Each structure stands twice: as C-alpha cells, then as structure tokens.
Amino acid sequence: AVLYAGEIVGFAGLMGAGRTEMMQAIFGNLPIVSGKIFIEGKEVSIKNPRQAIAAGIGFITEDRKTEGLLLEKSIAENIELANLGKVSKNSVLSQKKGAELVKRGIEEFRIKCF
C-alpha cells in the first residue's frame, strides 16, 4: 500500500493477530522478520527507534499510561527523557537546555500543568 501526504491510515486486527508486533517492528523495537519499509520510494532499514525517528517515523503506544509515560515522574522529566540527546552531552544533563525544551514542549503540545 502507498500512503500519500495528508492521508491518515488506521491499522487494525484482532488481539493476538500481530498488529502490535508489526508496529513495534516498523518502529525498530522488534526485528523485522519479513517485508520491507519504503520512505519516499527508498527502502530503509530500521534497526532501532532512534533510526525510525531520524527517518520520520513516530510511534504512539496502545496504552500510554503503562508504556508511554513515567507517571511517577514530572512532566518536565518525561519531556527530557524523550529528548535526552537534545538536553545532554557526554551523559551530563544541561539544565538550561532542558528548561528550554520543556517550555517549548508545554507550549507546542498545549500541556496543562497543575
């Protein structure tokens, strides 16, 4: 199937049919057993989520409360964790970069903080 700009695709299947595993494989969380991924007509090899993100692939979990967020952590920590490469260097976090990223994220995604 071909997906064109502006189109929205839904992916469905019965529980146990492999839909979750297929999406995890496309995003690089699981190895691809068969099939190919093409982006703008070019075959890509996605081995991990970092490569998927660099290729423009995003992933939304089925259950964000158990798989997508660290509920015991703050909004800022969740934003920073998802963007460690942007807020750290040599495994040291930059408070300034982190604060800027969190501020932008809260504004961009209209996050309500209480």
Side-chain angles (χ1 to χ4, degrees):
V2 176
L3 178 64
Y4 296 98
E7 291 184 327
I8 298 172
V9 172
F11 190 80
L14 297 173
M15 287 185 74
R19 66 176 199 257
T20 301
E21 293 79 6
M22 178 178 279
M23 295 298 106
Q24 292 275 355
I26 290 171
F27 192 62
N29 279 338
L30 292 174
I32 294 177
V33 177
S34 65
K36 298 176 182 180
I37 299 172
F38 291 84
I39 297 176
E40 295 184 6
K42 290 180 143 182
E43 185 176 354
V44 294
S45 175
I46 305 294
K47 303 290 185 202
N48 57 57
R50 180 170 284 147
Q51 290 177 342
I53 292 167
I57 298 171
F59 182 76
I60 300 172
T61 65
E62 287 181 275
D63 184 354
R64 69 177 183 199
K65 287 186 178 179
T66 60
E67 298 176 345
L69 296 170
L70 298 175
L71 296 177
E72 68 281 357
K73 299 293 185 184
S74 69
I75 293 169
E77 289 170 307
N78 273 276
I79 292 172
E80 289 174 332
L81 183 60
N83 296 280
L84 283 176
K86 295 178 182 176
V87 298
S88 66
K89 185 174 183 178
N90 298 324
S91 300
V92 177
L93 292 175
S94 165
Q95 287 184 324
K96 182 180 178 186
K97 287 181 181 178
E100 291 169 1
L101 180 79
V102 169
K103 183 176 186 258
R104 279 196 318 270
I106 288 171
E107 290 171 358
E108 182 178 344
F109 296 109
R110 298 183 187 119
I111 298 171
K112 303 292 182 201
C113 303
F114 300 99

